[in-house]
Amino acid sequence: MKKINSMTKVYGVIGHPVKHSISPAIHNFAFEYADINAVYLCFDVPPERLGEAVRGFKAIGLAGFNVTIPHKQDIMNYLDEVDESARLIGAVNTVVNDNGRLRGYNTDSSGFINAIKKRGLRVDEAIVLGSGGASRAICTALALNGVGRINILNRTYDNAASLANHIRSLAADCCVCADALDNIKNYRGQLLVNTTSVGMWPRVDECPVDIIPTGVHTVYDIVYNPHETKLIRMAKQKGCGVIYGIEMLVGQAIESLKIWTGVDVPENIITSFLEKEGIPLKMSNSIHNVTEE
Ligand code: ATR
């Protein structure tokens, strides 16, 4: 049992809703593993109370926090500083309290790109499904890491077009194309990334696309609940390599922890913990119970 005392630092995640976040499990485990005297809690804060909550965090000296849906963009209005890459992405998911000054970072993009770098994958052209907040971080990471062409396909064309403009403004040498999701058959790329919520529990039989274009060698689905989405199953059947969503989730958590504490907890240690605990499998069961009640 963790000892909580007057020196215990408090971290957390702010979002709405946050009830089923896996982050407390990851960070509390990591604190214990690395012998850090800290706890990590969930703060469910509706958008209209975001400013009030952040002022409260500052007043009580919260050591740092993660930011999740729907606050990743709005939080920037309440911070003292925003790190360069988070500013380019236009979203913050990690905040550190540095002696009363709140500084924002984005670890989603490094969490995402580390999985590609680690495998030594060569990606000249990528297809990215979706153009929301997660896609913004992912497309920025791809463009700033030398991917020559990014095809952003989205249900709503205008949202894809607007993200494509943003990415072009960051990386002039990256060719960015926007189109509707249904036109996937016209696109090529070695990497296909799903950033949409399609296939997420409980709608596990859905898939954002019905084909995987020829030439795709790796499919990366950032949906982590269920662990194996329909898209991932389709990719495996086609003989593609796959990257599971849990890897990005764990990756961004490791990067946040490094920013807060300087400690680097190995990915395999966190992954084995989650597997042992049956997360996120257990999480879908708990959502199931809540829905049935
Ligand atoms: P996040 O921050 O997780 O990226 P978001 O900003 O709400 O979440 O973005 C969700 C993405 O999933 C969007 O690209 C959305 O498409 P639209 O721009 O058309 O809304 C996409 N998405 C959500 N539900 C979808 C569905 N049923 N079919 C296809 N795309 C969907």
Side-chain angles (χ1 to χ4, degrees):
M1 184 76 182
K2 187 193 272 286
K3 244 195 218 152
I4 294 178
N5 55 30
S6 60
M7 300 302 283
T8 305
K9 289 189 172 171
V10 180
Y11 293 88
V13 55
I14 180 171
H16 183 66
V18 280
K19 207 165 157 195
H20 298 289
S21 170
I22 297 182
S23 295
I26 297 178
H27 287 287
N28 285 314
F29 166 75
F31 289 149
E32 203 157 330
Y33 173 83
D35 203 15
I36 296 168
N37 185 2
V39 292
Y40 186 103
L41 306 169
C42 271
F43 302 105
D44 191 329
V45 177
E48 66 278 10
R49 305 200 72 177
L50 180 62
E52 204 183 328
V54 175
R55 278 191 296 279
F57 285 170
K58 222 174 173 174
I60 63 169
L62 206 82
F65 55 97
N66 285 127
V67 185
T68 189
I69 291 174
H71 304 311
K72 286 187 183 181
Q73 282 165 282
D74 293 342
I75 190 77
M76 294 170 80
N77 300 323
Y78 304 101
L79 302 178
D80 299 298
E81 287 167 49
V82 174
D83 148 88
E84 171 73 4
S85 74
R87 198 182 51 73
L88 290 179
I89 293 164
V92 160
N93 78 322
T94 303
V95 177
V96 62
N97 185 348
D98 185 4
N99 287 314
R101 283 187 69 73
L102 299 183
R103 192 177 318 119
Y105 296 85
N106 191 305
T107 67
D108 284 334
S109 62
S110 41
F112 167 82
I113 207 77
N114 286 347
I116 312 263
K117 287 185 178 167
K118 185 169 90 184
R119 288 170 171 82
L121 296 179
R122 190 197 150 103
V123 183
D124 301 313
E125 182 166 2
I127 303 172
V128 178
L129 313 177
S131 60
S135 180
R136 221 176 151 89
I138 286 167
C139 291
T140 305
L142 291 171
L144 299 183
N145 280 278
V147 174
R149 188 180 173 98
I150 305 174
N151 303 304
I152 305 173
L153 310 181
N154 194 45
R155 175 178 63 180
T156 311
Y157 169 77
D158 286 353
N159 295 342
S162 142
L163 178 58
N165 279 336
H166 175 72
I167 302 299
R168 281 184 206 113
S169 72
L170 300 181
D173 52 351
C174 179
C175 176
V176 192
C177 184
D179 205 338
L181 205 51
D182 295 343
N183 292 331
I184 181 147
K185 59 185 178 310
N186 301 332
Y187 290 88
R188 294 284 168 271
Q190 295 90 25
L191 174 71
L192 172 72
V193 188
N194 175 39
T195 77
T196 76
S197 46
V198 182
M200 195 184 278
W201 199 91
R203 293 158 73 178
V204 296
D205 291 329
E206 294 180 6
C207 189
V209 286
D210 49 19
I211 61 142
I212 293 175
T214 308
V216 169
H217 62 52
T218 306
V219 173
Y220 191 159
D221 193 342
I222 73 161
V223 170
Y224 59 81
N225 183 16
H227 181 61
E228 189 144 290
T229 58
K230 189 171 177 186
L231 177 66
I232 290 282
R233 288 201 302 276
M234 208 162 116
K236 281 178 157 179
Q237 271 164 15
K238 216 177 166 215
C240 302
V242 298
I243 307 179
Y244 294 97
I246 196 78
E247 198 165 325
M248 177 165 162
L249 183 82
V250 171
Q252 63 78 31
I254 290 171
E255 295 297 314
S256 297
L257 201 72
K258 258 195 256 177
I259 291 172
W260 290 329
T261 65
V263 171
D264 194 356
V265 177
E267 184 187 330
N268 64 329
I269 297 286
I270 296 182
T271 310
S272 337
F273 159 74
L274 292 175
E275 269 167 21
K276 203 171 89 223
E277 291 291 304
I279 298 170
L281 205 68
K282 206 189 246 173
M283 196 180 77
S284 37
N285 291 339
S286 79
I287 295 172
H288 191 60
N289 291 339
V290 168
T291 319
E292 277 185 348
E293 270 163 15

